[in-house]
Amino acid sequence: MLSYRHAFHAGNYADVVKHLTISLILESLSKKDNAFCYLDSHAGTAIYNLDSEFARKTGEFKEGIELLWKLQEKELPTAIKPYMDAIRAVNQGEKLNSYLGSPAIAQYFARPQDSLSLMELHPKDYQLLRTQYKKQRRINVYNRDGFEVLKALIPPPQKRGLVLIDPAYELKSDYTKVVETVKIIHKRWATGIYALWYPILKQRSFQDTLYRKMQKSGIKNILQIELTRYSSNTPRGMYGTGMLVINPPYQLEQTLKELLPWLWQLLSPKAEGGWRVEWLVPE
């Protein structure tokens, strides 16, 4: 299905949690001189205009990145500042006009020796992505199914890197497809870092299937990160956001345990829901 456009949801609370997590991972990777690679299975576009018809129609960014943007820098936890620096890099002045998609977040942290591989199946988003990076030799853009491209590109020539897998889950079979893909590529590249995003839905059977299949996959060292913005009694279909990170960098667990309580208080309108950082499968 190709109906999903992330422009409607750019900068919402789920994006904040997801992009904060990958920013922390990429920042950690960039501390060593050795090159790293970044692979993005469902890249969307690079930069989203928050004044666009798409963004204004839902206004979801007002419940996410805009809440952080309004804070003074001294009010921000130190660990969140590199992520916010990336957002400021594409915004001039005091007004929040643009939000970075995951490809642009990765580009911000990447160095000349690092490479990006971006997959996007939606034809319009692919063209926007291709136009954005057509002059960037270290960035490759693919208009193909992200699950299949990952299988073709892994193992990468670099020994270090991050793979982000975050389908829209329009097809419920994606919950199973994510796990099956990860099992294949992890077997080929066991030392890579894998970040799997998923929505937390009222119909919990879908994410429960994801948890169960990952626990039975044979893959170890899986950190679970969740933030729920509403209680499970909410009429909303999606009331939270989650990430599974395989082979998380040193200190990611502790950093997120310090950040998420603060972030949850900021993002939860009525102090509903909650947060957790725990091991789905220990090392």
Side-chain angles (χ1 to χ4, degrees), residues 8 29 53 55 62 80 99 131 136-137 167 196 219 225 227 231 256 278 283:
F8 287 106
L29 285 168
E53 180 184 355
K62 296 179 181 179
I80 210 170
Y99 185 74
T131 300
Q136 299 280 348
R137 293 183 62 184
L196 287 59
I219 299 171
I225 303 143
L227 185 146
S231 72
L256 287 172
E278 58 188 38
E283 190 171 5

Side-chain angles (χ1 to χ4, degrees), residues 64 72 113 119 167 170 186 211 219 223 241:
Q72 298 288 329
Q113 67 266 39
M119 304 122 218
E170 286 184 295
H186 181 270
Y211 305 152
I219 299 171
L223 185 66
T241 182

Side-chain angles (χ1 to χ4, degrees), residues 51-254:
D51 289 322
S52 70
E53 180 184 355
F54 292 110
R56 290 291 171 185
K57 185 173 183 178
T58 62
E60 291 186 19
F61 68 92
K62 296 179 181 179
E63 301 176 339
I65 189 59
E66 189 170 86
L67 296 175
L68 279 81
W69 182 264
K70 290 179 178 178
L71 296 176
Q72 298 288 329
E73 185 169 357
K74 63 183 180 182
E75 298 177 273
L76 295 170
T78 300
I80 210 170
K81 290 181 179 180
Y83 164 65
M84 291 304 297
D85 287 344
I87 305 303
R88 290 192 187 97
V90 294
N91 287 280
Q92 302 297 323
E94 297 182 1
K95 190 175 186 299
L96 177 66
N97 297 304
S98 302
Y99 185 74
L100 299 182
S102 50
I105 293 278
Q107 183 189 19
Y108 177 83
F109 287 97
R111 305 150 307 169
Q113 67 266 39
D114 305 321
S115 67
L116 281 66
S117 297
L118 312 173
M119 304 122 218
E120 178 51 51
L121 201 53
H122 195 287
K124 291 184 178 179
D125 286 352
Y126 164 73
Q127 287 299 332
L128 290 170
L129 200 60
R130 184 182 179 189
T131 300
Q132 178 75 20
Y133 293 125
K134 64 182 178 181
K135 295 182 180 180
Q136 299 280 348
R137 293 183 62 184
R138 65 194 175 99
I139 302 177
N140 295 306
V141 182
Y142 302 87
N143 185 210
R144 292 169 51 197
D145 178 83
F147 293 117
E148 296 306 314
V149 178
L150 288 180
K151 296 173 188 176
L153 295 181
I154 291 176
Q158 300 91 340
K159 294 182 179 180
R160 308 165 60 240
L162 168 63
V163 179
L164 174 63
I165 304 178
D166 63 336
Y169 296 98
E170 286 184 295
L171 300 174
K172 300 311 177 186
S173 59
D174 280 348
Y175 288 92
T176 298
K177 204 168 186 179
V178 163
V179 179
E180 294 307 312
T181 301
V182 170
K183 285 168 64 177
I184 292 170
I185 60 181
H186 181 270
K187 188 173 182 179
R188 299 174 183 172
W189 189 35
T191 58
I193 302 171
Y194 300 87
L196 287 59
W197 175 82
Y198 58 93
I200 299 176
L201 308 173
K202 288 193 69 173
Q203 192 173 356
R204 288 200 57 90
S205 60
F206 296 116
Q207 59 259 35
D208 287 345
T209 295
L210 179 65
Y211 305 152
R212 186 174 62 256
K213 286 184 176 292
M214 286 303 298
Q215 287 171 325
K216 293 181 177 180
S217 67
I219 299 171
K220 300 185 182 300
N221 203 19
I222 306 176
L223 185 66
Q224 185 173 25
I225 303 143
E226 291 190 347
L227 185 146
T228 49
R229 192 168 182 267
Y230 306 93
S231 72
S232 57
N233 295 324
T234 179
R236 296 169 180 261
M238 174 179 163
Y239 67 97
T241 182
M243 298 280 286
L244 298 179
V245 180
I246 302 169
N247 299 329
Y250 174 65
Q251 291 190 330
L252 181 66
E253 176 192 8
Q254 185 58 40

